[in-house]
Amino acid sequence: MAATETLTAERILEATEEVLRRYGPAKATVVDVARVLGVSHGSVYRHFRTKAALREAVTERWLERTVVELRPYAEGPGPADERLTGWLTALFGLKRHKAGGDPELMATFQVLIGENSAVVDRHVDHLVGQIARIVEDGHREGVFAAPERDFATTARAVFDATDRFHDPAHAGDWSAPDIGDAFAAVVSLVQRALRP
Amino acid sequence: MAATETLTAERILEATEEVLRRYGPAKATVVDVARVLGVSHGSVYRHFRTKAALREAVTERWLERTVVELRPYAEGPGPADERLTGWLTALFGLKRHKAGGDPELMATFQVLIGENSAVVDRHVDHLVGQIARIVEDGHREGVFAAPERDFATTARAVFDATDRFHDPAHAGDWSAPDIGDAFAAVVSLVQRALRP
């Protein structure tokens, strides 16, 4: 990559992901990232003050992609109950695709995720916030009942109840032949719980 | 232990659990088990033909304890909705107690469970069968609606939806300060789903 291009945080993060994919999380260094970009490691440190900050940012960027891909379901249009099933189905699909499609990168990010629990907590908050928006819209549309407590608590319960279909701890189950039926049964349970 | 006592399968399994706890799953041998019992290893092999069969039986016995402890909720008496909350709460309590109370034995059994997936499948079937019985009783009592499909599918969905509160993969979350609230919210979601 030509050093004459402006060195943006985004370019550094792209290069970091490439380096992590190539060397794995244990071996990847800031010097490797600088080499890929054709810049000095000092230039990288001007954007990310520590290696830990760089790793945190690349983890956040990776997780954020999921939030962006789910946004159409979170924001509509369409009836809220269909958006909720769409959102849950899309999340499960994205996670399965990540786990099955590029297991090495997935393993790399599992290590990074373990290092950055605050980033993961924020990510879960974003996802739960998307569900809360759908639940609130559904209440206004009359397709969902008023929640027993607040929308956020209900949204978190929906997220937790579908955990088996998005938590990477369960990735080993996602190729089981009956996993689609199990997913459909839990989504149906959640939909019944929300009905007025 | 005196060799003059009758050598039953139950005594061998007790001794095996003791040996596993003491030496860990990698080092425990049938000879160790025989030594604890004061018998020859041939005597042990007359009850369990292979080391694998012995490990499978001890895993099954360990898991079966949970089924026995949940039986009062599965079989009643009491209204089915209360039995369901009681069953889920008791299961979560037993799992937390196992994970927190004796982490070494828990880690040992995690290894054995990984070796004996057929035993685990049967165990999950027993647990789901207990939920199915509660759901069916609740339908008869009128506290639960007719399931969208069969009782077994609904029961499995309830088991999967509460996964975060019984699957040892999540044991690390069980000491979080908000875990009780999260559990209560999911149980409440499940109860709403089953209501007529």
Side-chain angles (χ1 to χ4, degrees):
Chain A
M1 204 178 275
T4 49
E5 286 178 45
T6 312
L7 185 66
T8 59
E10 181 58 25
R11 275 188 61 213
I12 293 170
L13 292 173
E14 265 172 36
T16 304
E17 194 170 309
E18 191 183 325
V19 164
L20 282 165
R21 185 196 297 266
R22 203 184 296 170
Y23 301 112
K27 290 189 185 157
T29 67
V30 173
V31 172
D32 296 325
V33 173
R35 193 182 302 123
V36 164
L37 291 163
V39 301
S40 71
H41 64 273
S43 307
V44 175
Y45 280 122
R46 268 193 289 281
H47 286 268
F48 298 96
R49 291 180 59 188
T50 62
K51 182 179 168 182
L54 179 56
R55 285 164 84 101
E56 185 178 314
V58 82
T59 307
E60 188 141 39
R61 177 172 173 271
W62 191 68
L63 294 172
E64 188 62 19
R65 271 184 230 156
T66 301
V67 174
V68 170
E69 296 205 54
L70 295 173
R71 205 167 279 158
Y73 302 97
E75 300 186 353
D81 51 351
E82 289 176 18
R83 282 160 55 203
L84 181 61
T85 294
W87 190 94
L88 291 167
T89 307
L91 178 60
F92 186 30
L94 288 168
K95 294 285 187 141
R96 286 175 92 172
H97 183 76
K98 271 186 179 172
D102 196 341
E104 270 179 38
L105 192 65
M106 179 81 174
T108 290
F109 275 104
Q110 281 313 108
V111 172
L112 293 178
I113 279 167
E115 286 172 5
N116 293 285
S117 64
V119 171
V120 175
D121 289 349
R122 277 202 299 279
H123 174 62
V124 168
D125 285 348
H126 289 165
L127 294 176
V128 171
Q130 289 189 331
I131 303 177
R133 180 173 172 161
I134 299 172
V135 172
E136 193 169 350
D137 287 352
H139 173 56
R140 202 170 33 242
E141 293 165 14
V143 298
F144 291 150
E148 288 193 357
R149 287 176 56 194
D150 49 302
F151 293 115
T153 302
T154 300
R156 178 74 210 207
V158 170
F159 187 75
D160 284 348
T162 52
D163 177 282
R164 195 161 124 78
F165 309 101
H166 56 69
D167 191 314
H170 297 287
D173 299 338
W174 295 343
S175 48
D178 59 351
I179 194 73
D181 290 344
F183 174 70
V186 170
V187 170
S188 157
L189 191 84
V190 165
Q191 289 282 3
R192 283 178 70 147
L194 299 179
R195 252 180 240 161
Chain B
M1 207 177 276
T4 48
E5 287 178 44
T6 313
L7 185 66
T8 59
E10 181 57 25
R11 275 188 61 211
I12 294 171
L13 292 173
E14 263 172 37
T16 304
E17 194 171 308
E18 191 183 326
V19 164
L20 282 165
R21 185 196 296 265
R22 202 184 296 170
Y23 301 112
K27 289 191 185 154
T29 66
V30 173
V31 171
D32 296 324
V33 173
R35 193 180 304 123
V36 164
L37 291 164
V39 301
S40 71
H41 63 273
S43 307
V44 174
Y45 282 122
R46 267 193 290 281
H47 288 268
F48 298 97
R49 292 181 57 189
T50 63
K51 182 179 168 182
L54 178 57
R55 285 165 83 102
E56 186 179 313
V58 82
T59 307
E60 189 142 39
R61 178 173 173 272
W62 191 69
L63 294 171
E64 188 62 19
R65 271 184 231 158
T66 301
V67 174
V68 170
E69 297 207 53
L70 295 173
R71 206 167 279 157
Y73 303 97
E75 300 186 352
D81 50 352
E82 289 176 18
R83 280 160 58 202
L84 181 61
T85 294
W87 189 94
L88 291 168
T89 306
L91 178 59
F92 186 29
L94 288 168
K95 294 285 188 142
R96 284 175 93 173
H97 183 76
K98 271 185 180 173
D102 196 342
E104 269 179 38
L105 192 65
M106 178 82 173
T108 291
F109 275 104
Q110 281 312 108
V111 172
L112 293 177
I113 279 167
E115 286 171 5
N116 293 287
S117 64
V119 172
V120 175
D121 289 349
R122 276 202 300 279
H123 174 62
V124 168
D125 285 347
H126 288 165
L127 293 176
V128 171
Q130 289 189 331
I131 303 177
R133 179 172 172 163
I134 299 172
V135 172
E136 193 170 349
D137 286 352
H139 172 56
R140 200 171 35 241
E141 294 165 14
V143 298
F144 292 151
E148 289 191 358
R149 288 175 57 196
D150 50 300
F151 294 116
T153 302
T154 300
R156 178 75 209 205
V158 170
F159 187 74
D160 284 348
T162 51
D163 177 281
R164 193 161 127 75
F165 309 100
H166 56 69
D167 191 314
H170 296 287
D173 299 338
W174 295 343
S175 48
D178 59 352
I179 196 73
D181 290 343
F183 174 69
V186 169
V187 170
S188 156
L189 191 84
V190 165
Q191 290 282 4
R192 284 178 69 146
L194 298 179
R195 252 179 239 163

